[in-house]
Amino acid sequence: MHELALAQSIIEVVEARAEECAVRQVRTVHLRVGEASGVLVEALQTAFTMLASLSPVLAEARLAIEVSPHRAWCEPCASSFAVEDFIARCPACGTWSTRILSGTELQILDMEVGADPQQGGQEQAKNG
Ligand SMILES: [Zn+2]
């Protein structure tokens, strides 16, 4: 259910953006999802496909999800490490890190839009 609400907000953001840019058809929405964000990528895909089919602007749209790894920074070692099972502890020196570098984010990166015949064929609009 969480993913359904999430897909709904993504679609609302993209629809607003499309309207702003006078875009009639969005082809691809690029999304970055942290592996520790708690989002189920497959459920999100399903929810997105279902809701997008109801939106004229997004009816043809595909959700392209990039999963970012959960990583943290160790100050004493001045290096980053992979966080396993939500335990942000440096494998080299054992220090507990409070600086998470990535893996918890949820972010729309950009969107690709279809050609608009009434505007002479703009092929792609990017933001970010
Ligand atoms: Zn360390």
Side-chain angles (χ1 to χ4, degrees):
M1 287 314 280
H2 174 62
E3 280 72 17
L4 194 61
L6 199 57
Q8 183 64 51
S9 2
I10 292 166
I11 284 170
E12 280 167 15
V13 168
V14 171
E15 276 179 335
R17 178 83 188 151
E19 199 181 314
E20 220 176 274
C21 303
V23 162
R24 281 160 207 277
Q25 195 139 79
V26 174
R27 296 207 181 282
T28 312
V29 177
H30 292 270
L31 190 74
R32 178 180 289 150
V33 177
E35 66 177 2
S37 65
V39 174
L40 300 173
V41 167
E42 277 180 30
L44 182 59
Q45 283 281 14
T46 306
F48 180 89
T49 306
M50 190 181 86
L51 293 173
S53 68
L54 307 172
S55 162
V57 165
L58 281 145
E60 308 282 312
R62 184 176 73 88
L63 188 63
I65 296 178
E66 174 190 305
V67 177
S68 67
H70 199 188
R71 294 191 72 81
W73 179 259
C74 176
E75 203 60 61
C77 297
S79 66
S80 65
F81 60 92
V83 178
E84 308 275 352
D85 300 324
F86 297 92
I87 300 169
R89 192 177 186 201
C90 176
C93 71
T95 296
W96 289 88
S97 173
T98 51
R99 235 174 103 191
I100 300 298
L101 297 176
S102 68
T104 56
E105 66 271 57
L106 182 74
Q107 189 185 2
I108 297 173
L109 299 174
D110 62 39
M111 63 192 210
E112 287 162 30
V113 303
D116 186 342
Q118 295 191 345
Q119 284 191 1
Q122 184 199 1
E123 277 163 16
Q124 206 174 54
K126 290 208 168 197
N127 74 83

